[in-house]
Amino acid sequence: RSSDLFKTDGFWSQIKSAGSAIYASRLYLNCYSTSHPERLMHNQAGGPTIRGNVYIHPTAVVDPSAVLGPNVSIGKGVTVGAGVRVRESIILHGATLQDHSCVLNSIVGWDSTIGRWARVEGTPSDPNPNDPYAKMDSETLFRDGKLTPSITILGCNVSIPAEVVVLNSIVLPHKDLGRSFKNQIIL
């Protein structure tokens, strides 16, 4: 009987949940800051405000008044409007973040739209940064009959109207929300 071992000097992270995907993205962005700093955005005159490690695909359109980071990935063809704030999030290709929307600790699916002044926010579930052997806990989806607070996930082609708040929720694909939600799974 044999077993294999892969030794690495870099980081390694399991991805068992959406929350761990954001954590893994943070690790990759941090790795890019030393191995490929040219892939990350930096503050430039006439550009958005960049805080920490931020990746923006070359085809994305980002308004200069937006504030991005830390730990943000902006995908292909994404549009980020005026005054938008994004932190600790992954924005997948084709998404639109309209003016003054706020996205924190979330994954925004392909071709989704977040309306003006809307807020999409999750609760981070990071491992202990002071423990070198820390790992992501695989949280149960429900506790005491309620959804456990975690990051917010929007499936593909989700539409969130203006001035709506989506907090600690999971929204399945192809949904047009008409109101705010907290700690919900929207089927």
Side-chain angles (χ1 to χ4, degrees):
R1 195 166 173 148
S2 69
S3 64
D4 295 318
L5 171 73
F6 177 74
K7 185 176 180 187
T8 178
D9 292 327
F11 69 88
W12 181 86
S13 178
Q14 292 187 55
I15 300 180
K16 289 184 173 181
S17 67
S20 59
I22 288 183
Y23 179 69
S25 177
R26 181 186 310 142
L27 293 174
Y28 270 105
L29 291 169
N30 191 45
C31 182
Y32 280 174
S33 70
T34 56
S35 64
H36 298 288
E38 71 281 0
R39 294 182 183 176
L40 299 177
M41 294 300 298
H42 304 282
N43 286 310
Q44 298 173 346
T49 300
I50 303 296
R51 295 182 177 162
N53 295 327
V54 174
Y55 169 78
I56 301 175
H57 191 275
T59 62
V61 177
V62 180
D63 188 274
S65 63
V67 178
L68 307 175
N71 306 314
V72 170
S73 292
I74 304 285
K76 179 180 178 181
V78 169
T79 301
V80 178
V84 168
R85 177 68 170 110
V86 183
R87 182 179 75 216
E88 298 282 351
S89 296
I90 300 170
I91 313 299
L92 297 174
H93 76 78
T96 300
L97 310 182
Q98 294 180 352
D99 295 354
H100 306 287
S101 59
C102 181
V103 179
L104 310 173
N105 302 300
S106 300
I107 297 175
V108 176
W110 303 283
D111 301 315
S112 290
T113 300
I114 298 176
R116 293 182 342 219
W117 295 100
R119 184 178 186 97
V120 175
E121 183 175 356
T123 299
S125 56
D126 297 338
N128 180 352
N130 298 317
D131 180 357
Y133 302 105
K135 62 180 184 156
M136 290 292 298
D137 289 329
S138 204
E139 289 276 340
T140 178
L141 196 55
F142 295 95
R143 185 179 297 135
D144 300 325
K146 296 180 181 177
L147 185 65
T148 304
S150 184
I151 69 162
T152 290
I153 306 161
L154 304 182
C156 68
N157 198 28
V158 169
S159 180
I160 296 178
E163 301 178 16
V164 162
V165 176
V166 178
L167 181 64
N168 299 328
S169 295
I170 300 170
V171 183
L172 272 59
H174 310 292
K175 301 293 178 230
D176 291 326
L177 302 185
R179 63 179 180 85
S180 295
F181 288 92
K182 178 180 178 184
N183 299 331
Q184 299 285 319
I185 298 177
I186 295 107
L187 300 176

